[in-house]
Amino acid sequence: MISVNVGGLVGPSRRRVFYHWLRTVVNAEIILLQETHCNTHTRALKWSEEWGGVDRAHRANTLDRLAWFSLSSSSSKGGSAILITKKFANTHTLTQVTTTDTHNGAWVHLHVIHKATNIPLTYSSTYPPLSQISGC
């Protein structure tokens, strides 16, 4: 597992390079992202398709995906995401995905069950509203 503050993925070439790096260099089956700057549902679906996590025929079923994005309030700050590999999807049963997008922050919770052990697990990628935290 890896957690990365990406500082925005709005640029297509930046996403392409970042996704390539994750696939070829990073040996992680689950990727937690913060500061994605993803601010529309259309953008979230496009970025999921680029990761390989959803095709147009399965957009409605969130458990068939390999990527989930919370939406930020702008294209220049906020947002979080969870990306998984096909290997992870083959060894876990996805049971629930929750995305929350508010002025109080953004997060994605991914609930799975490990197939071999039947152990439930929860992964969370969170982007807190630092401007509302005292001292930040």
Side-chain angles (χ1 to χ4, degrees):
M1 178 174 17
I2 186 172
S3 179
V4 182
N5 182 319
V6 293
L9 290 175
V10 176
S13 60
R14 183 180 179 125
R15 268 191 323 282
R16 193 169 32 257
V17 169
F18 181 67
Y19 285 174
H20 177 76
W21 177 74
L22 288 173
R23 288 185 187 105
T24 59
V25 177
V26 177
N27 187 23
E29 294 182 23
I30 189 158
I31 300 105
L32 310 174
L33 304 178
Q34 300 80 40
E35 195 79 31
T36 60
H37 303 177
C38 184
N39 65 338
T40 68
H41 289 288
T42 302
R43 184 173 278 171
L45 289 170
K46 179 177 174 36
W47 294 3
S48 295
E49 288 171 1
E50 291 171 355
W51 174 249
V54 62
D55 61 35
R56 295 186 190 282
H58 294 95
R59 283 185 171 185
N61 188 350
T62 59
L63 297 181
D64 283 343
R65 298 181 185 177
L66 297 179
W68 301 270
F69 289 85
S70 69
L71 301 182
S72 63
S73 59
S74 81
S75 62
S76 63
K77 66 179 181 178
S80 61
I82 296 179
L83 311 177
I84 62 172
T85 63
K86 289 180 181 178
K87 180 180 176 184
F88 182 90
N90 289 334
T91 58
H92 294 77
T93 301
L94 281 62
T95 58
Q96 182 181 13
V97 177
T98 307
T99 60
T100 303
D101 322 296
T102 70
H103 65 281
N104 292 323
W107 56 88
V108 179
H109 300 292
L110 178 65
H111 304 276
V112 300
I113 297 175
H114 186 259
K115 290 179 181 177
T117 62
N118 208 33
I119 295 174
L121 302 164
T122 299
Y123 297 92
S124 181
S125 182
T126 305
Y127 183 77
L130 294 180
S131 62
Q132 295 178 13
I133 297 173
S134 177
C136 290

